[in-house]
Structures are given as C-alpha cells and as structure tokens.
Amino acid sequence: MPPNYQDRNHVIGLRAPSSRETEYKFISDTVNDICMEIKAYAKEHFSKRKINYEACANCLRELCKKWNWQPSKTETWKDLLEKTKVRNVDNGMKDSEDVKDLVGLCERSRVFESLIPQLRERLVNCLKEHVHKYCVSFVEEAEGVDARPVHEYEEAIRSYQKDINIKVDSMNADILKYGELKTPLEKFVEDGASVGTLMEEICIQIVEISHVLKTWASDDAAYPDKLEQEVFFNNSYKEKLHEDVVKLHKRSSSLSKSLERKQKLTSKLEKEYLVYRREKMKLKNSLQTVCGKIEKFQRQIDNINGEIEDAKEMLTNKRMITPRQQVDMQLKLHSDLKEYERLFERIEVMERQKMRLERDLKEISDRTYELKVEVITNRHDQEEINQSLVGMDLEEKSLRDRIDAIDRKTNVIKNIRVLKVSPETLRKLHRRRREYQQHGQLNEACHFVAQFIGDDWKKLYIKLPFVPVRDNSKLKHDVEIIDMIAGRRDKTIPEQALKSLEKWRVFSRRHADISQLVRSLRQLNKLELAQKVETKFVNASAYG
C-alpha cells in the first residue's frame, strides 16, 4: 500500500472534494496504483521460469519426512514458512531449485493474500465512495424532459455498474474458490498450476475493474462537454425553427392579404350579381308582359279576321241583307280592317320589343351566370386560403411547441451542466451523503436493533448517551411513558423499542450516531447484535 493512500482517503472522506478534477485525480491515482501493484506482483511471481509443481510436492513430502511430520497435517503455506524458521534444512537441500520453488510458492501466496484483500478494499471504496457518489448523470433533474445526452449517460452508467457487478461477483467467487484450494498444503502445491492460473485470473479481474472505473471517470469528465455540444446543437436547431416560423409568417401574411382582396372582390361581385339578377327579373317580367300583349293582340286579330270574313260573306250574298244592312256592314268591314291594321302594327312593335328584350335578357343572363360563377369561385378560393391559414397556424403552433420543448431541454441540460461542473454540487452531494450516513443509516440501524433487542430495550435506553445529559429519573419516566402508551395502544415490543430509540434521537438531536448505539449495545453485553449492526451499517461494503 502506498504510504499516502490511507491519509489521502481519510482526508477525502472527511471533506468534500474541492473540484471534479480532484475526484478524477483520486480515482485515476487509485486505479493506477492498483494496476502498478498488480503489475509488480505479477512480474515478481508469474514472470519467472516455469515451476515443476510435482517436484515441489515431492520436496514438501521429503521435508515433512525429515521433520517427522505428516504432509496432510500441514494446513497452509503459513505452517510451512513458520516451520522453516524453527527447523533446519540441510544446505544441500536448501540450495536446491525445488526448495526455492516451494518457498517461492508460499511467498507468492503470502503476498497474494495480503495484497488482494487490500487492493479489493481500495477498489470497492473508490467505487462506492467516489465513482458512485460523484460520477452521476443527474437524470432526476431532467424531470421527464427527453434530454438525450443525459439519458444516454444514465444508460452508460447502468452498463458500467452491470459490468462492474459481474466482474466483482466473479472476482469474489474466485477469491472464495482460492480460499477452498489453499488447504491442505500438499494438495495446494500439487495443484499449483491451476491455483496460479486462478490467482492470475483474480489479478486480471482487478485490473479489468480498474480499467472500467478509469473509463467511467473519463466519460464523466467528458460529460459536461457533451452537454455543451447538445446545447449548441439545440440552439442552432432552434434558430432554424425560428427561420421556419418567419417564413411561415410571410406566407401567412401574403395569404391573408390575398384573402382580404378575395373578400373585397367577392363582396363587389355579389353586389353586382344582385343588381344583374334584379335586372334579369325585370327583363323577364317585361318580356312576359310583351308576350302577353302579343298574344292578346293576336287573339283580337283572330276575332277581327273572323268578323271580316263574316262581313265579306254577307256582302257577297246580297239577297240576305237589306241595302241599309249592306251599308252598315260595309262600314263595319271598313272599321274592322282599320282595327286589323292597327293591331297588326301593334304586334309588329311588340315583336320588335320582344326581340330587344330577349336579346337584353340573354346578355343579362349570361353576365349574371358569369358573376355567379365568379362569386362561387372566389368563395372556394377563400375556403382554400382559410384552410391553408388554419394549416399554417397548426404548423406554427407545432414549431413553437418544438421551440418550447428545445428551450426546456436546453434549460435542463444547462442546469445539469452547471450542477456537474460546480464544486458546490460536489459539496452538496458530500453533505447529503454525510446526512444519510448520520441520519438515514442511523434510522435503518434503529429499526434493525428494535427487531432483535427484545425486552432489553429498556436497559438499552438507560445505557444510551444523551446530549444534553438526561438524568436517570427522567430516563425511567420515559420508559414508563412508553410502556403505558404501548399498553393502551397494544404496541408490540419491537414498536416500543423503536419508539425508545426515536426518543433518544430526538433528545440527542445531531449528536446521536451509530457508533454510540453500537457502544451502548456492547455495554449491555449484546456483543453479537452490536457486531451485526457495525458490520451492516458501519463497515458494510457495496459488494459484501
């Protein structure tokens, strides 16, 4: 272990890092130190000449025979190294390669069993107390906004965590497997090749975990730049959308003016159409009147023609009338002929008037129809323009919604970037972690103790330290009150115990912590429960 490791870890554990660079440097230094130590160990114990493990096992049996030991009773390499210190090995045998290899195997295991737990602890501590604590995406700050780089990095974090968990689980399984293989020593030496392979695999796993941590920290360091790039992209995209809105406004304005012109034209055409329609109706009525007069005159002419024919017939047959009647009849015939001519002239005038009216009516009808078509066409054009304007309004609303969504996304990303690069954020995370350790873990520990303390909760309450100090009479009174309330409300013993621990935390406020709880359990001779609390809530590792 480097001499500054414990000091450095202790200092960073006590106070929040001053900057992200401090955290990255700590993570980088930790994994580099671990990789260097693994490399040094591998160079020392796995880069030398090939070992004859069968010869080493024979050498072990021969040493045990000289010392009158049973090889099967030699548990581990520790037994052999201890015995070589107090037992002599003749010089001839001591200088043999087999003895050197045998001692080398023991030394390899000694260093391995000292180094690996230490490196594993440092690695897990770095992961739990630094990477997990500070290399975060702040996805909760997105508040449901689809901020792509934030969610992508959150997915990357899950991938890193999954990968690390798999590797750590595999490493832990291999460490347990190694623990099963290291005894008895005779078997351990015989299987030295497979044991060595297992040890190398454990070393490789530690190096792989270190590389994952380093890559994670590197991605986290690049995370603010990715957020900034996303902000630039969003701003450029927003500008393009604004340009689209401006173009849409111009088109909409042009269509609105066109619609206004169409409306004015339609109004004018409608008025003109109504004038022509009224004129058409007048001409129709006039034409009907003229046609009626023509028909009337024609009937009169027909009647006069009949009278004229009758008069001519009577004048032709003179025997049938008297001279007086003949004179009257001739006068009547003369009058009818004049009336016939007058009516015929009237009919000719009416016919000319009819032709003029029909010509005017056709012209008026054609123009009325044209106006009607123009009005209908203009109305259709107005409907199409209105539909286009409605579509443009919807399109503009869609563009503005997208601009608002980009603004929300950009604001979220900017906020997350500020959180990510601000030293104050690291201090807040540190304070939050300390508060959880002081209050959250204490709350969980109190619930745990309440489940197992049983009736001894009363004795524990008396043993707990209070700040400010609470005298025995008040403590006993507290116990009596809890008992009395429990009796009235039918509270269980774990509920009473939890209530007493909550009361302790209230009276002691910020001074109550897990170490005081553990200390009080030990004073009460609840050593096993104290050990469980300490292991679970004080020294617990993220990976067991």
Side-chain angles (χ1 to χ4, degrees):
M1 178 186 297
N4 65 335
Y5 163 67
Q6 289 181 330
D7 294 338
R8 182 171 63 224
N9 191 43
H10 177 68
V11 170
I12 293 180
L14 287 178
R15 66 171 185 270
S18 58
S19 65
R20 295 165 63 243
E21 287 70 24
T22 304
E23 276 302 296
Y24 298 142
K25 188 174 187 307
F26 177 85
I27 295 169
S28 179
D29 289 348
T30 300
V31 297
N32 286 339
D33 289 347
I34 289 172
C35 290
M36 289 298 293
E37 292 188 46
I38 289 290
K39 184 178 179 181
Y41 174 76
K43 183 177 180 180
E44 176 66 23
H45 296 283
F46 294 107
S47 300
K48 296 182 179 180
R49 65 182 181 81
K50 188 175 180 180
I51 298 174
N52 187 336
Y53 294 102
E54 185 177 353
C56 289
N58 291 331
C59 181
L60 174 63
R61 296 187 192 98
E62 188 176 344
L63 285 174
C64 290
K65 183 177 179 182
K66 285 180 178 286
W67 295 336
N68 294 322
W69 284 353
Q70 291 294 328
S72 59
K73 292 183 179 179
T74 308
E75 292 292 330
T76 65
W77 56 266
K78 292 181 181 179
D79 297 333
L80 181 62
L81 289 181
E82 288 175 2
K83 287 176 174 56
T84 54
K85 292 178 183 177
V86 297
R87 297 273 182 172
N88 292 324
V89 181
D90 58 60
N91 292 332
M93 190 173 185
K94 189 174 183 179
D95 295 332
S96 68
E97 292 298 330
D98 293 338
V99 171
K100 289 180 181 179
D101 288 343
L102 181 60
V103 173
L105 289 179
C106 295
E107 186 65 22
R108 181 180 73 177
S109 295
R110 183 188 69 78
V111 177
F112 180 83
E113 292 178 24
S114 170
L115 178 67
I116 295 303
Q118 178 197 113
L119 296 183
R120 178 186 174 281
E121 182 184 355
R122 289 178 62 188
L123 198 59
V124 171
N125 176 74
C126 179
L127 176 67
K128 179 183 175 185
E129 299 299 329
H130 299 277
V131 179
H132 279 170
K133 298 295 182 182
Y134 299 111
C135 294
V136 293
S137 67
F138 293 103
V139 69
E140 66 278 358
E141 299 293 334
E143 297 178 348
V145 175
D146 184 20
R148 182 179 55 83
V150 178
H151 293 288
E152 284 179 354
Y153 184 50
E154 179 68 15
E155 288 297 321
I157 288 176
R158 291 197 187 99
S159 177
Y160 283 131
Q161 290 174 337
K162 182 179 179 181
D163 189 18
I164 289 170
N165 288 342
I166 291 172
K167 292 181 185 302
V168 170
D169 289 342
S170 177
M171 177 183 68
N172 288 338
D174 286 345
I175 290 174
L176 290 175
K177 184 178 179 181
Y178 170 81
E180 294 170 357
L181 292 176
K182 69 179 184 178
T183 183
L185 181 60
E186 182 178 10
K187 180 68 173 172
F188 181 73
V189 173
E190 286 179 347
D191 297 338
S194 58
V195 172
T197 301
L198 182 62
M199 294 164 75
E200 287 185 273
E201 182 62 30
I202 292 171
C203 292
I204 291 170
Q205 288 165 345
I206 290 177
V207 171
E208 288 177 348
I209 295 170
S210 299
H211 286 164
V212 173
L213 293 188
K214 198 167 184 178
T215 303
W216 186 351
S218 176
D219 281 357
D220 193 70
Y223 183 43
D225 291 338
K226 290 182 180 178
L227 295 177
E228 190 172 16
Q229 290 172 6
E230 186 71 10
V231 169
F232 287 148
F233 172 79
N234 286 345
N235 287 337
S236 61
Y237 185 47
K238 180 182 172 182
E239 288 177 5
K240 181 181 179 302
L241 291 178
H242 273 303
E243 290 174 0
D244 291 342
V245 170
V246 171
K247 291 178 182 177
L248 201 61
H249 264 303
K250 289 181 179 178
R251 288 171 54 200
S252 177
S253 177
S254 175
L255 282 178
S256 296
K257 290 178 180 178
S258 176
L259 178 63
E260 187 178 352
R261 289 193 298 270
K262 290 282 184 184
Q263 288 172 340
K264 289 180 179 179
L265 179 60
T266 302
S267 178
K268 178 182 176 183
L269 290 172
E270 285 175 344
K271 289 178 181 178
E272 190 175 353
Y273 169 73
L274 290 174
V275 170
Y276 273 84
R277 189 177 178 183
R278 285 194 294 268
E279 186 66 23
K280 178 182 175 181
M281 293 302 297
K282 287 180 182 179
L283 287 173
K284 273 188 175 181
N285 292 334
S286 297
L287 184 60
Q288 286 177 356
T289 301
V290 169
C291 289
K293 286 182 178 181
I294 290 173
E295 289 175 359
K296 178 182 175 182
F297 290 154
Q298 191 65 48
R299 284 193 302 270
Q300 289 176 351
I301 288 174
D302 290 342
N303 291 333
I304 290 173
N305 278 334
E307 291 177 359
I308 290 173
E309 291 297 327
D310 291 340
K312 285 181 178 181
E313 187 178 349
M314 290 181 69
L315 287 173
T316 303
N317 192 0
K318 295 181 178 179
R319 295 178 183 178
M320 304 257 328
I321 58 172
T322 63
R324 179 71 182 173
Q325 289 176 331
Q326 187 176 3
V327 171
D328 292 339
M329 189 66 67
Q330 286 177 347
L331 292 172
K332 179 75 169 66
L333 179 62
H334 181 72
S335 174
D336 287 342
L337 287 172
K338 281 187 176 181
E339 181 66 17
Y340 176 83
E341 289 176 359
R342 187 183 68 80
L343 289 173
F344 190 78
E345 288 175 356
R346 293 289 300 274
I347 284 177
E348 286 181 344
V349 171
M350 289 294 111
E351 286 290 346
R352 287 195 299 273
Q353 189 175 359
K354 177 185 176 184
M355 290 177 61
R356 181 178 60 79
L357 288 173
E358 285 177 344
R359 185 179 65 252
D360 292 345
L361 180 61
K362 183 178 183 306
E363 291 176 357
I364 292 294
S365 296
D366 290 345
R367 181 58 183 159
T368 304
Y369 178 76
E370 289 174 359
L371 289 170
K372 183 178 180 180
V373 170
E374 287 183 26
V375 168
I376 292 172
T377 303
N378 274 277
R379 285 176 179 170
H380 286 164
D381 291 344
Q382 289 177 59
E383 288 178 4
E384 289 178 0
I385 292 172
N386 280 323
Q387 289 177 357
S388 297
L389 288 173
V390 170
M392 287 180 181
D393 288 341
L394 292 174
E395 187 177 354
E396 182 179 351
K397 184 179 182 301
S398 174
L399 288 172
R400 294 200 178 280
D401 288 343
R402 285 157 71 183
I403 289 171
D404 291 340
I406 289 172
D407 284 339
R408 289 194 300 272
K409 189 184 299 185
T410 301
N411 290 334
V412 163
I413 292 173
K414 284 181 177 179
N415 180 48
I416 291 175
R417 187 179 181 282
V418 169
L419 288 174
K420 194 68 184 175
V421 300
S422 172
E424 182 59 29
T425 304
L426 298 180
R427 287 190 282 272
K428 286 180 180 178
L429 291 173
H430 180 77
R431 285 196 295 272
R432 194 180 303 167
R433 173 161 53 115
R434 294 295 297 273
E435 287 173 3
Y436 171 73
Q437 289 173 344
Q438 292 174 2
H439 303 291
Q441 283 187 324
L442 178 58
N443 183 54
E444 293 179 13
C446 288
H447 278 78
F448 182 79
V449 170
Q451 292 296 319
F452 298 101
I453 191 66
D455 288 326
D456 288 332
W457 67 265
K458 300 175 184 179
K459 296 179 183 178
L460 176 63
Y461 186 73
I462 302 297
K463 292 285 186 184
L464 288 168
F466 285 83
V467 180
V469 177
R470 196 166 177 81
D471 59 46
N472 285 336
S473 61
K474 289 183 179 180
L475 293 174
K476 290 177 181 178
H477 179 69
D478 293 339
V479 171
E480 290 171 1
I481 292 295
I482 294 172
D483 258 338
M484 181 179 65
I485 293 173
R488 289 178 182 174
R489 300 180 182 176
D490 196 24
K491 297 286 186 180
T492 63
I493 290 176
E495 288 174 331
Q496 295 176 54
L498 182 59
K499 184 66 179 176
S500 70
L501 293 172
E502 289 174 353
K503 191 177 283 288
W504 165 61
R505 291 173 61 190
V506 169
F507 284 136
S508 293
R509 296 183 183 177
R510 295 183 180 180
H511 297 282
D513 58 31
I514 297 177
S515 62
Q516 292 176 345
L517 181 60
V518 171
R519 199 177 305 118
S520 300
L521 287 169
R522 288 202 173 107
Q523 290 174 3
L524 196 61
N525 206 26
K526 293 285 185 178
L527 302 179
E528 185 178 352
L529 182 56
Q531 182 61 39
K532 286 181 179 179
V533 172
E534 192 169 34
T535 302
K536 186 175 180 65
F537 299 102
V538 179
N539 298 324
S541 168
Y543 299 99

